[in-house]
Amino acid sequence: MPIHKIAHKLALTFTMALSGPVFAACVNSLILDAPDERFRLQEGTAIDKRTGLMWLRCALGQQWSDTQNTCTANFDFASKYDWNGALAVANGYTAQGYADWRLPNKNELSSIVDRACSGPAINGKVFTGTLNGGYWTSTPWRREAGKAWHVDFTTGTLIGRESDAQFGVYLVRDQ
């Protein structure tokens, strides 16, 4: 194995070991935006019954493990991308028998935020590998060239950021 692949695997393993999985802290007195029953789970996907969208349950850099019922490291893919890299890797991505996965737009990615939770602000039973931090959307930031929207799942905030920043990637498809 080439040395750069070994170094990438070690770096990704170290990063994932340090950062997660992280389990959300949800406020019991608040109504959940994304409760378990909103999703139909099958293998590594989650179908959102409210929006009709199918999500990969793991971000790129992770893969679904049926035996562990969680996301584990996937060394075939990076865990973070700049915006153009995120768009490129999503184009034609194949997983779970589908070849039409794509980067979600800002409204789609925001739809899985659970504002009753933080650290990360998402349903951790459905999206088990979500780490605190940003995840790209396909939506460019119209106010200023060279920026795009991402959701910071630490708090669930939608933020415009320079397109060369490095963020995670969740993929979605229409059913």
Side-chain angles (χ1 to χ4, degrees):
M1 178 179 294
I3 191 75
H4 72 280
K5 288 201 175 215
I6 293 170
H8 173 74
K9 284 184 179 187
L10 289 173
L12 186 56
T13 301
F14 183 71
T15 301
M16 293 184 85
L18 285 179
S19 54
V22 178
F23 297 98
C26 301
V27 178
N28 292 334
S29 61
L30 296 177
I31 296 172
L32 296 173
D33 294 320
D36 297 349
E37 59 272 6
R38 182 175 142 188
F39 298 92
R40 188 172 75 236
L41 307 179
Q42 51 191 42
E43 298 179 5
T45 64
I47 297 172
D48 186 334
K49 296 179 204 175
R50 192 184 79 194
T51 64
L53 295 170
M54 178 185 279
W55 294 88
L56 282 178
R57 292 178 71 183
C58 303
L60 293 185
Q62 303 170 337
Q63 64 191 19
W64 182 253
S65 169
D66 284 327
T67 58
Q68 296 176 18
N69 201 33
T70 192
C71 299
T72 60
N74 178 355
F75 298 116
D76 292 332
F77 290 93
S79 59
K80 294 189 177 185
Y81 296 84
D82 65 21
W83 187 61
N84 288 318
L87 290 168
V89 75
N91 185 25
Y93 189 84
T94 300
Q96 303 296 332
Y98 300 99
D100 58 348
W101 295 99
R102 59 183 171 77
L103 204 58
N105 66 42
K106 69 179 187 171
N107 296 330
E108 291 168 336
L109 191 57
S110 293
S111 77
I112 61 172
V113 167
D114 198 321
R115 286 171 183 77
C117 305
S118 65
I122 196 167
N123 183 321
K125 291 179 184 173
V126 176
F127 300 97
T128 65
T130 306
L131 302 174
N132 287 321
Y135 290 80
W136 281 120
T137 77
S138 63
T139 310
W141 205 54
R142 303 244 185 252
R143 294 183 206 163
E144 196 174 322
K147 289 188 175 184
W149 291 101
H150 79 279
V151 172
D152 184 336
F153 275 106
T154 307
T155 60
T157 307
L158 185 64
I159 304 168
R161 186 72 190 269
E162 293 79 12
S163 59
D164 61 352
Q166 299 285 309
F167 292 121
V169 172
Y170 267 108
L171 297 180
V172 69
R173 62 179 295 277
D174 300 303
Q175 280 202 77

